[in-house]
Amino acid sequence: MSHKGKTADRFRYSDVVLMLFSIGLLIMIGSFFGGRDTQSRAPARELVSSLGLSDLALFTEARYLRHLSQADLHSAFQDHPVSFDHFPGGSLVMPRLIGITEGVDHENMD
Amino acid sequence: MKIWIERQRSLIDFTVAGLLRRKVRNLGLMAVYSCVVFILATVMLFTHSLRKEASVLLSDAPEITVQRVIMGRHALIEHTDLDVVSKIRGARHARGRLWGYFYDTANGANYTLMVPDKVHTIKQGQVQIGAGVARARDLKKGKFLFLTTNRGKLFKLQVSGILSTESELVSSDLVLMSEQDYRNFFRLPSNVYTDLVLNVRNSREVTKIAEKISAVLPDSRVITRDDILRTYESLFSWREGILLALLGGALCSFIIFAWDKTSGLSASERQEIGILKAVGWETSDILTMKLWESVLISLGAFLFAYTLAYLHVFYFSAGLLEPVLKGWAILYPQFHLTPEVDPLQVMTLLFFTVFPYVAATLVPIWRAAIIDPDTVMR
Amino acid sequence: MIVFENVTKTYNEGAENAFNAILNLDLTINSREITVLRGPSGSGKTTLLTLIGGMARPTSGRIHVAEREVTSLPERFLTKMRQDTFGFVFQSFNLIKGLSVLDNVMLPLTPLGRPRNQIRKEAYALLERLHIQSKAHNLVETLSGGEAQRTAIARALINNPPVLIADEPTANLDTGLSYAFMDIIKELKDQGKTVVMTSHDPLVWKSEIVDQVISVRDGKIESNPT
Ligand SMILES: Nc1ncnc2c1ncn2[C@@H]1O[C@H](COP(=O)(O)OP(=O)(O)OP(=O)(O)O)[C@@H](O)[C@H]1O
Ligand SMILES: [Mg+2]
């Protein structure tokens, strides 16, 4: 019986693994250089400037979420930092602190 | 160098063979790991690119918005205030805006009704609607939108156009109508607006002009474009609900992993280390081999999960996040985010997924690898 | 030449269950000879082999390998010795489950960074010599006792060590395979290698190729074995 054919590996695990990892790393590094696509934003930007829009239409469930930057600051419990919130979306975003904390650095607000 | 490479390759061969030996356990481990990374990476990529999207899209938002406040609530502002604001030196293109919310009892959705400015003039009896509204009411160009006022009066409006789907992130729930229709619909007197917007001749003077407006209209509040942009810059910052919950969960699972690892090696793992030492492997060989093992598991899971998360966010519109973001809303915009990745964020996630695991695995290995191999002969 | 001078190995030293597995033992093993250790179970034979093979350090006394005192040498040196001086066949084989016969045999050379194809060729040659090349790609847990035995021997010989240490190498083998094993040992002796074995088996210690039989009892060498 000849074993000559068998003395060479069909493939080595290390080659497969290193190749997969190189691909993964390339994808990761490649992903850092995305975002050059400004074309697709043109229609939205045009609407923002012509209609004078101020907010994203991401949350439509409540008015203070729909117009986050225009939200009413003084209504009781509506979007106070410790208020209980009716709307699920309200637990995803912080209340708008601008106006009450003029000039205060937001990141160091705790 | 050649020897070094060949040595690493041989150690990887050995490691992979070992991992395949405990296929179910290791694949399970990687699956759990990938899940955690996938969720974190999805949220990270999504929130970052959404913030970026907001900052680009809203860079053309009105420079200054003036809202009247009565008893702490946003109230209608009068035409006379528009005249006052227009006269402030440095203010340009001051105009009154008409916009408001409408709750559609037919399907429970909220629309934003709005009157466009001169550029988009819409004839009386006609509307232009956002793609979300079109979906919710199953409307096409030329069909009619029926809206009921709060007094029960029915309005019949013909759809003269649907706003482009590319702009859905800002326009999904819009219903644009003529000023006449708007005022009739909400029964507004002709001398009031929702709020005022204006531009500033010299953008460095925005704060000064905002202060001037506050002085002449003390019952109003002023929102600058910077305020708007800042609102969206801090959108989904890490302290907010979902992120906190996710980070907490991820932290817990990493602690469980680490605990499981540092609490010791299984008898067969110890025996294997002993055998390797007995046949002449150095402590450093064993550590290198095990280093590869934990790097393959943790980095492999990371790369796999990151790739999936990237595809999910940028090619499948982050579909899994939709129920979370949608909440109770009926309308949800369908939008594609432009790929925007913050390398620092990704590297941080990479570090926190790979490093603790590698450290937690290597410590007990190192402790086992420095004892005499004699113990395995029992 | 391996020389033991007044060597003691105490397990659990200082504890209540401290046990002298080897006590004040003097011993000389000549190069190019076959030495067999025999004695009842628990007499300390395996312990002695681990001391010879640099797997454990004595509690007191000195061990010289090729005129070099090894007891006080650092761990790195012992590893080096295990790597290129000794080949060890364990009482329970200690093959790594889940790996093929070939991978197990190649184990000692894996971290050295030599080209893999070359290592594979050498491993194949050894398996052929031990007549189990047909099992090269089988997992070790599927092997019979005799095949596992020969795999363990192949692994001990792969780095061509001058000293082969084998613990109860025929315990799992039938008479035929035991004779075959002794043939291999003879071959090694003819190649000028040193062999140290333990055995209960008369077939081994009564064999004519054996140069020295040492009886061990209670951690000491018996001068007048029965
Ligand atoms: N790690 C250890 N801790 C405590 N006692 C040990 C340890 N290793 C061996 N011993 C004891 O040392 C004695 C000698 O053991 P050893 O394995 O050398 O005997 P042996 O001659 O090889 O026996 P057998 O013929 O059964 O293989 C035994 O009584 C054993 O219980
Ligand atoms: Mg024994």
Side-chain angles (χ1 to χ4, degrees):
Chain A
M1 195 194 115
S2 156
H3 61 252
K4 280 279 174 284
K6 283 194 204 157
T7 46
D9 288 293
R10 264 166 308 163
F11 63 88
R12 284 183 70 169
Y13 288 137
S14 52
D15 293 344
V16 178
V17 162
L18 290 177
M19 199 162 83
L20 287 177
F21 271 68
S22 316
I23 294 173
L25 284 171
L26 279 180
I27 290 176
M28 186 183 84
I29 293 167
S31 76
F32 297 165
F33 299 96
R36 297 291 124 96
D37 171 23
T38 47
Q39 205 64 45
S40 62
R41 286 172 175 154
R45 291 192 66 168
E46 198 277 320
L47 267 189
V48 168
S49 62
S50 68
L51 295 177
L53 301 178
S54 57
D55 287 87
L56 301 185
L58 194 59
F59 309 102
T60 59
E61 53 189 333
R63 39 187 219 138
Y64 76 97
L65 292 172
R66 171 63 179 86
H67 287 95
L68 211 53
S69 70
Q70 319 276 302
D72 208 338
L73 288 175
H74 305 284
S75 307
F77 294 113
Q78 190 167 242
D79 47 11
H80 185 267
V82 291
S83 71
F84 293 104
D85 217 312
H86 292 308
F87 295 98
S91 59
L92 302 179
V93 298
M94 284 241 266
R96 200 177 69 83
L97 297 170
I98 299 140
I100 4 178
T101 61
E102 209 57 76
V104 177
D105 180 2
H106 289 227
E107 285 304 309
N108 304 316
M109 263 283 306
D110 307 68
Chain B
M1 187 63 190
K2 216 171 163 188
I3 289 180
W4 186 86
I5 291 173
E6 186 55 40
R7 174 167 174 261
Q8 303 306 323
R9 285 181 69 196
S10 302
L11 291 177
I12 293 174
D13 286 335
F14 180 82
T15 297
V16 176
L19 288 175
L20 291 177
R21 204 171 345 143
R22 290 183 283 266
K23 216 179 292 172
V24 176
R25 174 184 169 273
N26 288 313
L27 284 181
L29 195 64
M30 281 185 83
V32 176
Y33 226 114
S34 300
C35 265
V36 175
V37 175
F38 173 77
I39 295 169
L40 284 177
T42 295
V43 171
M44 241 168 60
L45 290 173
F46 180 80
T47 54
H48 177 77
S49 55
L50 189 67
R51 274 196 294 263
K52 181 79 190 177
E53 198 80 19
S55 77
V56 174
L57 295 186
L58 297 178
S59 59
D60 296 328
E63 274 184 293
I64 292 182
T65 310
V66 184
Q67 293 183 346
R68 191 164 177 217
V69 177
I70 296 180
M71 292 184 288
R73 284 183 172 274
H74 178 192
L76 296 169
I77 196 160
E78 276 164 32
H79 200 286
T80 46
D81 289 342
L82 176 59
D83 297 335
V84 173
V85 168
S86 309
K87 291 210 183 77
I88 291 174
R89 197 207 284 237
R92 280 200 318 180
H93 306 306
R95 61 187 175 88
R97 279 200 307 184
L98 285 169
W99 59 272
Y101 305 98
F102 175 76
Y103 176 71
D104 189 348
T105 42
N107 56 9
N110 287 312
Y111 307 144
T112 299
L113 269 49
M114 193 170 194
V115 176
D117 69 345
K118 311 290 166 332
V119 188
H120 275 256
T121 41
I122 290 173
K123 287 203 202 90
Q124 215 175 330
Q126 288 191 336
V127 282
Q128 282 190 15
I129 56 176
V133 180
R135 267 199 308 279
R137 293 288 289 254
D138 193 21
L139 288 172
K140 285 196 195 73
K141 193 175 168 178
K143 289 209 174 176
F144 288 93
L145 171 68
F146 293 94
L147 298 176
T148 320
T149 66
N150 52 4
R151 293 293 175 100
K153 203 174 145 209
L154 198 65
F155 261 67
K156 183 184 174 190
L157 299 154
Q158 188 176 34
V159 178
S160 68
I162 293 174
L163 300 172
S164 71
T165 43
E166 288 98 328
S167 69
E168 232 187 288
L169 189 54
V170 291
S171 71
S172 179
D173 67 337
L174 290 186
V175 176
L176 302 179
M177 53 175 69
S178 69
E179 180 169 349
Q180 210 49 52
D181 282 336
Y182 189 91
R183 288 188 190 278
N184 288 342
F185 187 80
F186 287 114
R187 295 158 35 91
L188 287 184
S190 61
N191 65 333
V192 293
Y193 296 106
T194 307
D195 52 20
L196 309 177
V197 292
L198 56 129
N199 288 343
V200 171
R201 194 175 301 145
N202 179 354
S203 57
R204 269 177 302 180
E205 286 181 357
V206 169
T207 348
K208 207 184 284 171
I209 289 176
E211 275 165 14
K212 270 191 210 162
I213 294 173
S214 295
V216 293
L217 298 174
D219 63 345
S220 70
R221 67 189 173 113
V222 180
I223 300 164
T224 65
R225 183 195 287 162
D226 280 349
D227 290 340
I228 295 174
L229 291 176
R230 244 181 292 155
T231 301
Y232 283 91
E233 242 167 56
S234 63
L235 184 68
F236 305 120
S237 73
W238 68 269
R239 271 168 293 168
E240 276 142 37
I242 191 174
L243 283 186
L244 219 54
L246 283 176
L247 283 175
L251 208 65
C252 280
S253 45
F254 284 138
I255 288 172
I256 292 169
F257 272 147
W259 176 261
D260 177 50
K261 283 288 172 188
T262 39
S263 57
L265 304 172
S266 68
S268 68
E269 277 175 304
R270 286 180 69 90
Q271 160 142 13
E272 187 178 309
I273 292 172
I275 294 172
L276 293 178
K277 283 209 83 176
V279 300
W281 284 40
E282 285 170 33
T283 305
S284 67
D285 296 330
I286 293 170
L287 283 178
T288 312
M289 185 272 285
K290 287 292 178 178
L291 181 72
W292 275 116
E293 183 178 308
S294 51
V295 166
L296 290 192
I297 286 189
S298 53
L299 187 64
F302 175 87
L303 290 174
F304 176 69
Y306 178 75
T307 308
L308 281 192
Y310 187 87
L311 293 176
H312 173 224
V313 169
F314 297 118
Y315 291 89
F316 296 96
S317 308
L320 295 178
L321 287 184
E322 189 180 315
V324 180
L325 291 166
K326 199 169 168 184
W328 292 345
I330 301 294
L331 288 188
Y332 184 75
Q334 287 180 358
F335 55 96
H336 276 285
L337 288 170
T338 307
E340 285 283 356
V341 179
D342 179 4
L344 186 69
Q345 249 184 1
V346 177
M347 296 321 281
T348 309
L349 184 63
L350 179 107
F351 179 80
F352 280 107
T353 42
V354 173
F355 182 76
Y357 183 80
V358 171
T361 24
L362 280 192
V363 170
I365 301 285
W366 175 75
R367 272 194 267 146
I370 54 173
I371 54 167
D372 283 336
D374 151 63
T375 43
V376 295
M377 297 204 275
R378 299 291 140 194
Chain C
M1 205 160 76
I2 299 165
V3 179
F4 276 48
E5 261 180 57
N6 199 24
V7 168
T8 297
K9 174 72 183 177
T10 309
Y11 287 115
N12 306 319
E13 200 191 3
E16 229 173 80
N17 59 345
F19 180 80
N20 292 325
I22 299 289
L23 192 59
N24 302 331
L25 184 136
D26 294 304
L27 172 74
T28 302
I29 292 165
N30 293 319
S31 299
R32 298 161 194 280
E33 285 191 359
I34 297 177
T35 304
V36 174
L37 304 173
R38 56 179 290 243
S41 182
S43 56
K45 303 182 298 293
T46 299
T47 305
L48 204 47
L49 288 190
T50 62
L51 291 172
I52 295 170
M55 306 270 174
R57 289 165 193 269
T59 313
S60 67
R62 292 150 187 263
I63 300 172
H64 302 265
V65 175
E67 266 133 51
R68 188 153 182 194
E69 216 279 301
V70 296
T71 35
S72 55
L73 288 173
E75 168 66 23
R76 285 183 70 89
F77 185 83
L78 289 184
T79 305
K80 199 96 198 87
M81 256 182 17
R82 289 197 291 270
Q83 208 173 76
D84 43 45
T85 308
F86 300 111
F88 215 112
V89 183
F90 298 94
Q91 198 164 359
S92 49
F93 310 143
N94 280 333
L95 299 174
I96 293 187
K97 292 202 184 71
L99 294 185
S100 68
V101 168
L102 197 66
D103 285 337
N104 262 284
V105 172
M106 282 158 47
L107 216 50
L109 301 181
T110 299
L112 301 184
R114 284 175 48 196
R116 188 175 161 93
N117 281 335
Q118 198 183 324
I119 301 178
R120 278 178 72 105
K121 261 192 209 114
E122 291 175 22
Y124 250 111
L126 259 179
L127 291 178
E128 251 172 7
R129 209 171 120 202
L130 294 161
H131 304 292
I132 46 166
Q133 75 274 28
S134 62
K135 302 283 179 188
H137 295 281
N138 294 28
L139 295 182
V140 288
E141 52 265 45
T142 64
L143 297 179
S144 71
E147 289 161 349
Q149 176 83 68
R150 281 175 283 167
T151 305
I153 295 169
R155 187 178 69 185
L157 295 176
I158 185 81
N159 43 9
N160 202 22
V163 182
L164 177 73
I165 299 172
D167 199 355
E168 302 288 354
T170 59
N172 301 288
L173 304 186
D174 62 28
T175 323
L177 279 170
S178 296
Y179 277 116
F181 172 74
M182 289 312 284
D183 288 344
I184 294 167
I185 296 299
K186 183 170 185 317
E187 234 177 89
L188 290 176
K189 185 187 177 185
D190 293 343
Q191 285 169 16
K193 300 206 186 286
T194 309
V195 179
V196 187
M197 295 187 280
T198 68
S199 188
H200 287 104
D201 190 350
L203 185 147
V204 173
W205 55 265
K206 281 194 175 154
S207 162
E208 67 216 21
I209 59 167
V210 172
D211 300 285
Q212 184 182 207
V213 178
I214 297 171
S215 282
V216 185
R217 184 178 288 272
D218 297 335
K220 291 181 182 137
I221 292 178
E222 257 189 333
S223 30
N224 305 307
T226 40

